[in-house]
């Protein structure tokens, strides 16, 4: 086997040193009736055949390299500078483990510290951790913090229906069996409707920014209302939108979570992505996940180390608030390199391109007979279109012309059947947008 | 050697990328909603590349040297698997593409589900969990859902041996269970008498690592499983140590009900400096309806007659139609979308390459561990001196040498260009050093490690300060962890005091 380097001679030398005649003798402790079962697997093959097979599987998919993609709904096709992937492929980064030994992992540790700094800057928060699995689990972990801040006496979690449906589902999965009440998201609700649910039993209220429909809702006065009852205000934010719009910190958020995938991470059929988690400093000792802090070494030289470790499962065991141990280290690195390259000016420009192209598309579709565009609220790079026919039928027509159309909102929101969520990014050219509009014009 | 923070490298106005000018009319931005300045770096592409390359060189990694980190399975990560995950048809595939357009991806996931079930002797598996810890949470929530589905609400406890990974008890607490910790006996096995005493109708199940975190096969595993099943509990296997079980024994055949894999350990998807991973879960037919989802299922069988000639390498020829479905009594979603697909691709490539020879992985992982063990036993104390699985634990202390600890040995090992073993775990061994060489290391590398460890044992006696002050050759010396926790510097950028600002309004 190419990945197992042993020669026959070496095997014999090693077995002799151990003092057993065969490798099989090393497994005597395994009950003999169950030892060495047959494995129904294919015959071994080499790199050449593996790659040929995977290429065939990959090419069987309708991907954004071959199609004009207008679908978002939580996963976005954005420009990624080449340098990001080249850095990710540094073996020193991707074949390292969690930086438990700081002297041997300053590279990973400093990169995470820079990630935390950039996430803090984007969200307007004082602290951030090294990441969670994805945006959905970040929200679930925010619930844990809010319950903890509410001393486990407050049992009510208010979720906006504008939060990604999967995220709300994951928060419920994580907190099943704990007597927690999730409210607010079972039917359409405005920010005021959500605020009306606040009471002394509320641990947190979470809103999306922009919401699942791409809209920027108005949050004036919300933070005061939430804080008045002693609850936490949580924002689920698209980090690319934060290059353009006011930071959640400025809007009074206590915790900001979200999906970091728009920051230099490919679509990859839904993962691996990057859950970011930022908060006000007063809550940092209650949050889960790895955190890197700056300190000095014995010679007084600046150094980084995983800190506040006593919160974590390997030390606190059954008293830990979460069982998380790995973060999404390499994805956090991708976002860090991406944000460094895009920088202060590039990120804003990318966000503006998304905004302008989405609004151009929306303006064109607005003019089409049979379609209407929801322009009741400002939006970023996604918008809702009411269609004259079921979304699946329209998408089938678009696909024939090389276009992957919008997301069918009727799947998650029964009152929005025949409504399509269209996404436009800097990757969509005017030609693609015009083609989309032309195709929709042909829908009868 | 220190590298400036990226923010220190920039100059106002510098840009690292050039984006296209808008090719559509400009829409006025809504001024009242816009933020002020964005506090991000302003560096050139070269500055960024050099910065991150410089940082990378301050890391140790498998590609650079030996990494015998116990319980983490730091084996070689084949390069082709990285290329595979980056194929455009995978990398640029939107997760919400219509099912007809993702049959290649679903075929891959379905096959991987089948292989993972087969390797562990189970009926089904899910690829959704993002990490081992999420796999554990899945399994324990499935056990909970199973009992509740039978109207059994009296089970409030999960049994966990005291040698367990910290995630095990933390998982039980997350799932709303009370943890009952079981002692280990003198051989490092679960204390069977204590287990039997703890079993009752309030026990929902037991979590156990096989082989144990001490790197030992528990020869009483069948008795343990029987005892828990007899009281109505279910058995969860922490599969962190599957690298010693491939083709050696199938947990499902032993009687386990549910387990998780760590694809980033056993099946070589890279650790990435701490993720992303995949904690796929496999289970019995009885528990299948409770799996977290969606999972890939066949929604339409393949046409029975082959329409195609032989020879083509296309797994989609005569393939059925696959779909993503929620199991009927699923514990729910654990993640947005379908799991860490990029990890599924890599694990598929790895299992496909090994195929029926997967057993060689475990055979050689166990051979390597035992070889290192016997070569160190005269210099280090082995608390359990018997044939081990893929890893073993020794004590990092020496008779008659005061003030030298496992940590000092670990730090000194860095000066020999090797990553330290896992230290201070398992907790039940004093000054534990948990050593896992993995099967991809050759004898010469193992001999170099053995030589380094023996030298360090000599140094501990002749010049203990050499160990206590180690490492001497790394970019930094030992760090002040107390200061890090007390002074808490987590970001290098000032953040406006919103709270104060709001109060001042």
């Amino acid at each position: 086997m190419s990945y197992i380097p042993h020669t026959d001679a070496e095997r014999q030398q090693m077995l002799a040193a151990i003092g057993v005649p065969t490798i099989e003798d090393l497994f005597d402790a395994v009950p003999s009736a169950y030892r060495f079962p047959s494995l129904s697997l294919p015959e071994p093959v080499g790199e050449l055949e593996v790659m040929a097979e995977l290429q065939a599987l990959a090419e069987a998919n309708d991907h954004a390299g071959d199609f004009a993609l207008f679908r978002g709904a939580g996963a976005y096709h954005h420009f990624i500078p080449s340098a990001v992937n080249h850095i990710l492929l540094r073996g020193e980064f991707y074949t390292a483990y969690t930086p438990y030994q700081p002297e041997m992992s300053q590279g990973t540790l400093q990169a995470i510290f820079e990630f935390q700094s950039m996430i803090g800057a984007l969200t307007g928060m004082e602290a951030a951790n090294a990441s969670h699995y994805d945006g959905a689990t970040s929200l679930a972990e925010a619930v844990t913090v809010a319950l903890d801040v509410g001393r486990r006496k407050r049992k009510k979690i208010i979720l906006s229906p504008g939060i990604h449906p999967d995220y709300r589902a994951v928060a419920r999965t994580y907190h099943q069996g704990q007597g927690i009440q999730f409210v607010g998201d079972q039917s359409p609700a405005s920010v005021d409707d959500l605020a009306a649910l606040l009471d002394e039993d509320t641990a947190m209220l979470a809103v999306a920014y922009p919401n699942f429909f791409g809209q920027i809702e108005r949050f004036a006065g919300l933070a005061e209302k939430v804080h008045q009852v002693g609850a936490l205000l949580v924002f689920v934010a698209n980090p690319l939108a934060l290059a353009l719009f006011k930071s959640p910190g400025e809007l009074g958020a206590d915790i900001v979570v979200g999906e970091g995938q728009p920051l230099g991470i490919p679509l990859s059929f839904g993962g691996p992505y990057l859950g970011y988690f930022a908060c006000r400093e007063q809550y940092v000792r209650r949050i889960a996940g790895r955190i890197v802090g700056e300190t000095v070494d014995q010679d007084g030289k600046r150094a980084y180390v995983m800190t506040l470790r006593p919160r974590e499962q390997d030390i606190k065991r059954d008293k830990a608030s979460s069982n998380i141990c790995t973060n999404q280290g390499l994805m956090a690195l991708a976002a860090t390199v991406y944000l460094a390259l895009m920088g202060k000016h590039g990120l804003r420009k990318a966000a503006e391109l998304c905004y302008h192209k989405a609004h151009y598309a929306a303006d064109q579709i607005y003019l089409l007979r049979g379609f209407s565009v929801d322009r009741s609220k400002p939006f970023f790079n996604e918008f809702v279109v009411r269609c004259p026919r079921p979304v699946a039928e329209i998408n089938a027509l678009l696909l024939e012309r090389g276009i992957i159309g919008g997301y069918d909102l009727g799947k998650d929101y029964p009152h929005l059947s025949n409504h399509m969520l269209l996404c436009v990014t800097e990757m969509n050219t005017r030609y693609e947008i015009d083609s989309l509009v032309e195709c929709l014009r042909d829908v009868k | 050697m220190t590298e400036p923070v990226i923010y220190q490298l920039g100059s106002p106005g510098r840009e690292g990328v050039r984006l296209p000018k808008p090719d559509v009319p400009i829409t006025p931005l809504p001024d009242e909603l816009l933020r002020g300045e964005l506090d991000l770096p302003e560096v050139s592409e070269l500055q960024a590349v050099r910065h991150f390359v410089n940082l990378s060189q301050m890391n140790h990694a498998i590609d650079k040297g030996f990494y015998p980190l116990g319980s983490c399975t730091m084996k070689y990560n084949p390069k082709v698997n990285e290329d595979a995950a980056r194929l455009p048809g995978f990398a640029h595939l939107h997760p919400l593409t219509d099912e007809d357009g993702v049959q290649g991806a679903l075929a891959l996931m379905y096959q991987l589900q089948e292989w993972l079930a087969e390797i562990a002797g189970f009926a089904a598996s899910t690829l959704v969990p993002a990490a081992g810890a999420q796999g554990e949470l899945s399994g324990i929530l499935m056990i909970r859902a199973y009992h509740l589905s039978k109207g059994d609400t009296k089970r409030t406890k999960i049994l966990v041996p005291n040698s367990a990974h910290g995630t095990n008890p933390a998982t039980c607490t997350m799932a709303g269970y009370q943890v009952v910790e079981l002692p280990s006996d003198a051989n490092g096995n679960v204390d069977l008498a204590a287990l039997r005493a703890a079993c009752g109708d309030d026990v929902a199940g037991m979590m156990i690592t096989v082989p144990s975190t001490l790197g030992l096969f528990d020869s009483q595993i069948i008795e343990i499983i029987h005892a828990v099943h007899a009281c109505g509990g279910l058995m969860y296997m922490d599969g962190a140590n599957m690298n010693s079980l491939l083709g050696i024994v199938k947990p499902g055949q032993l009687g386990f009900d549910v387990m998780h894999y760590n694809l980033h350990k056993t099946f070589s998807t890279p650790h990435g400096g701490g993720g992303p991973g995949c904690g796929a879960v496999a289970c019995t037919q009885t528990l299948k309806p409770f799996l977290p989802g969606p999972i890939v299922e066949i929604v339409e069988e393949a046409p029975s007659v082959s329409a195609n000639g032989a020879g083509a390498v296309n797994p989609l020829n005569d393939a059925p139609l696959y779909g993503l479905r929620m199991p009927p009594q699923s514990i729910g979603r654990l993640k947005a979308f379908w799991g860490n697909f990029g990890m599924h691709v890599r694990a598929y490539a790895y299992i496909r390459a090994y195929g029926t020879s997967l057993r060689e992985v475990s055979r050689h992982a166990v051979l390597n561990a035992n070889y290192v063990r016997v070569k160190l036993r005269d210099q280090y104390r082995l608390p359990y001196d018997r044939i081990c699985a893929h890893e073993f634990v020794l004590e990092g202390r020496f008779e008659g040498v005061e003030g030298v600890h496992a940590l000092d040995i670990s730090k000194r090992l860095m000066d020999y260009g090797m990553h330290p073993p896992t230290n201070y775990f398992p907790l039940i061994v004093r000054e534990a050093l948990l050593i896992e060489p993995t099967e991809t290391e050759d004898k010469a590398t193992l001999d170099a490690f053995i030589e380094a460890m023996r030298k360090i044992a000599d140094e501990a006696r002749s010049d203990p300060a050499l160990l206590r002050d180690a490492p001497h050759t790394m970019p930094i010396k030992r760090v002040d962890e107390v200061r890090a926790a007390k002074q808490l510097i987590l970001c290098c950028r000032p953040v406006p005091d919103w709270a104060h600002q709001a109060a001042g309004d």
Side-chain angles (χ1 to χ4, degrees), chain A residues 73-76 133-135 166-167 259 261 265-274 328 331, chain B residues 90-97 102 105 109 128 130 324 333 335-344:
Chain A
Y76 301 95
Y133 307 131
D134 70 357
D166 285 0
Y167 295 19
E259 180 50 67
Q261 181 269 332
I265 298 170
L267 287 167
S268 190
F269 200 45
Y273 287 175
L274 169 71
Q328 295 284 103
M331 301 297 102
Chain B
F90 295 142
H92 304 312
L93 183 59
H94 193 284
L96 298 172
T97 307
V102 298
M109 291 172 69
V128 169
L324 286 154
R333 276 187 177 277
K335 230 180 145 296
F337 310 118
W338 339 118
N340 284 342
F341 178 74
M343 302 299 118
H344 307 161

Side-chain angles (χ1 to χ4, degrees), chain B residues 112-452:
Chain B
L112 184 58
Q113 285 176 186
E114 295 287 296
W115 285 340
L116 294 179
E118 163 65 18
I119 290 164
F122 281 111
S125 76
T126 179
L127 307 177
V128 169
Q134 257 207 342
E136 289 181 27
L137 182 63
S138 308
I140 297 304
L141 288 175
M142 286 163 68
I143 289 174
R144 179 174 172 275
Y146 166 80
H147 290 305
L148 291 179
S149 76
K150 297 180 23 163
D152 186 346
T153 54
K154 61 190 176 300
R155 299 182 185 270
T156 55
K157 296 174 179 165
I158 300 272
L159 312 178
V160 180
N162 61 359
S163 59
H165 296 117
T167 44
N168 291 183
T171 297
C172 296
T173 304
M174 265 180 99
Y177 281 111
Q178 188 191 330
V179 177
V180 179
E181 194 175 273
L182 298 176
S184 303
D185 69 16
N187 296 318
N189 295 330
V190 170
D191 184 327
L192 213 50
L195 169 70
R196 292 202 167 110
C199 282
D201 67 0
D202 57 350
V203 169
M206 176 173 183
M207 291 185 98
I208 185 169
T209 308
V210 181
S212 75
T213 57
L214 298 162
L216 301 172
F217 290 111
D218 194 322
S219 51
Q220 308 173 110
I221 193 69
I222 299 293
E223 286 88 338
I224 294 170
I225 293 170
H226 283 169
V228 173
H229 280 169
C231 75
L234 297 184
M235 287 299 295
Y236 183 91
M237 192 183 105
D238 179 330
N241 294 344
M242 272 306 281
N243 211 44
S244 57
L245 298 187
L246 304 173
I248 304 300
V249 64
K250 293 181 172 178
Q253 291 183 351
L254 287 175
F256 279 98
D257 299 286
V258 53
M259 66 165 276
H260 81 265
Y261 284 99
N262 299 86
L263 298 192
H264 46 287
K265 297 179 182 175
T266 314
F267 299 118
S268 89
T269 75
H271 284 78
C278 174
V281 166
C283 70
T284 59
Q285 193 65 38
T286 309
L287 287 182
K288 184 183 175 189
F290 303 99
L291 281 171
I295 61 176
V296 182
E297 293 188 347
I298 292 176
V299 294
E300 201 180 301
E301 285 299 340
S304 53
V305 186
S306 171
N308 245 315
V313 186
N314 187 349
L316 285 178
N317 283 348
D318 309 322
L321 187 69
Y322 299 102
L324 286 154
R325 299 291 180 267
M326 231 31 207
Q329 293 164 278
S330 175
I331 59 160
R333 276 187 177 277
L334 282 167
K335 230 180 145 296
F337 310 118
W338 339 118
N340 284 342
F341 178 74
M343 302 299 118
H344 307 161
V345 176
R346 291 170 175 91
Y348 179 103
Y350 181 86
I351 297 174
R352 183 70 183 88
Y354 273 101
T356 46
S357 69
L358 211 46
R359 183 179 288 128
E360 298 305 320
V361 168
S362 293
R363 281 160 47 91
H364 288 86
V366 172
L367 176 68
N368 277 2
N370 277 287
Y371 177 69
V372 176
R373 179 182 59 86
V374 297
K375 291 285 192 176
L376 291 178
R377 76 209 293 190
D378 63 333
Q379 290 290 329
Y380 291 85
R381 193 170 173 275
L382 284 161
Y384 307 100
D385 189 10
R386 59 178 172 105
I387 286 177
C388 65
H390 66 303
E391 63 188 352
F392 67 97
V393 62
L394 48 75
E395 293 184 8
R397 61 195 177 103
F398 304 98
E399 292 296 323
V401 181
E402 293 295 310
V404 168
H405 299 280
L407 188 70
D408 304 314
I409 297 168
S410 295
K411 301 300 184 194
R412 181 62 183 148
L413 206 46
M414 296 178 184
D415 291 332
Y416 289 90
M418 298 174 200
H419 196 279
T422 296
N423 47 44
Y424 302 99
F425 180 81
L427 306 178
I428 58 174
V429 174
R430 279 181 66 184
E431 302 288 336
L433 287 170
L434 184 63
I435 298 171
E436 180 181 9
T438 84
E439 75 282 3
T440 54
E441 299 298 337
D442 63 10
K443 182 170 172 293
T445 304
L446 302 181
D447 286 336
F449 173 69
I450 291 159
E451 180 64 22

Side-chain angles (χ1 to χ4, degrees), chain A residues 6 24 36-37 40 53 62 71 85 96 101 104 108 124 173 177 242 246 269 295 302 318 323 327 329 345, chain B residues 3 32 35 42 59-60 86 93 96 101 118 133 171 173 248 273-274 333 348 359 363 368 411 480 498:
Chain A
H6 301 62
E24 282 67 31
F36 311 133
S40 175
E53 186 172 314
D62 295 343
R71 203 164 293 182
N85 191 40
Q101 301 286 346
M104 268 197 145
T108 295
T173 305
L242 298 184
K246 280 193 169 76
F269 200 45
T295 183
R302 191 205 63 203
D318 62 331
N323 71 352
N327 58 348
H345 312 287
Chain B
E3 170 69 17
E32 73 287 4
R35 76 180 292 154
E42 299 177 271
N59 270 0
H60 188 76
R86 287 168 171 82
L93 183 59
L96 298 172
E118 163 65 18
T171 297
T173 304
I248 304 300
R333 276 187 177 277
Y348 179 103
R359 183 179 288 128
R363 281 160 47 91
N368 277 2
K411 301 300 184 194
D480 188 343
W498 310 116

Side-chain angles (χ1 to χ4, degrees), chain A residues 416-434:
Chain A
L416 293 178
S417 64
N418 290 8
H419 285 65
M420 178 186 271
L421 179 66
L422 275 169
C423 172
V424 189
T425 74
E426 76 279 17
M427 302 299 277
N428 297 111
T429 60
R430 180 174 186 155
Y431 175 76
E432 286 181 1
I433 298 169
D434 290 343

Side-chain angles (χ1 to χ4, degrees), chain A residues 77 87 96 111 128 152 172 193 196 205 210 277 324 357 381 406 420 436 438:
Chain A
H77 187 42
I87 296 297
R152 298 248 143 209
R172 285 178 165 90
D193 295 337
L205 185 153
F277 191 110
I324 189 166
K357 287 173 183 252
N381 70 336
M420 178 186 271
L436 169 74
E438 282 313 304

